[in-house]
Amino acid sequence: MGNKTDRSGHPANQGTLAQDKGLTPKERLLQAGLELFDEEGFHAVGIDRILRRAGVAKMTLYKHFPSKQALIIAVLERKVEEYFEWLGGALAAPGLTPRSRLLAIFDAMSQWHGGPDFRGCLFLKASGEYPELDDPVHLVAVGQKHRSLELLTGLAAEAGASSPRLLAQRLLLLCEGSTSLAQVLGGSEAARQARDAAALLLRQMLPEPSDVPA
């Protein structure tokens, strides 16, 4: 995938990557922002902290990003692409059927939640710190959730759901709820419980499987 990942395979926020001199100054700024925003939040991190982590001058920052908000948006947009690339890799595992792909999402979530670098969902954090519905930062978080819903809707349709959108909405609730609980409680138990609940939903809302039972 090209980007460094944590032990779970999820895109990692490694504390030394922002100082990797093999990266361009812009890439170091993006990585420094990702690391610090994930570790401490958005409002708590000032520009000077990002500059020190990235090892670049303020002039370099403003050459690429006219404001802190522009950097935050760029970091979140990068994270969106990394997230769906990671999830796409999990869904492309050999031997998965359309039905079992829906459960594979929860297996991937379980690995992510149990990883050493898991700090919760960066998009939920962003929407919490920028709650106004028309805020540009908030809108990136909204877009990530809509894209997740569209992905799940497509998978549900491939699996034969008569109401793929409804099934996708319910599965997304389980995904997001397990991630929020994991952020508070730690560990992978919430994702495992969410997987069990998802399997029940699939039995209720999908045709009887002819391949691998849920």
Side-chain angles (χ1 to χ4, degrees), residues 8 13 30 102-103 123 137 145 157 163 175 180-181 188 194 206 214:
S8 72
N13 303 331
L30 286 168
L102 291 166
L103 294 179
F123 305 105
V137 174
K145 301 310 173 191
S163 301
C175 289
S180 296
L181 275 179
S188 299
L206 292 182

Side-chain angles (χ1 to χ4, degrees), residues 100-174:
S100 60
R101 282 191 183 94
L102 291 166
L103 294 179
I105 290 173
F106 294 91
D107 295 329
M109 291 284 173
S110 179
Q111 292 180 342
W112 173 36
H113 296 172
D117 297 322
F118 175 71
R119 297 185 182 90
C121 175
L122 191 63
F123 305 105
L124 290 178
K125 293 178 186 178
S127 66
E129 291 197 40
Y130 298 88
E132 295 296 326
L133 298 183
D134 60 349
D135 187 286
V137 174
H138 189 94
L139 289 172
V140 179
V142 170
Q144 190 267 346
K145 301 310 173 191
H146 280 308
R147 187 167 165 181
S148 295
L149 181 60
E150 293 305 319
L151 173 64
L152 286 166
T153 300
L155 292 172
E158 290 175 14
S162 58
S163 301
R165 188 79 170 184
L166 179 59
L167 176 55
Q169 289 169 332
R170 292 174 178 178
L171 292 172
L172 184 60
L173 282 172
L174 291 172

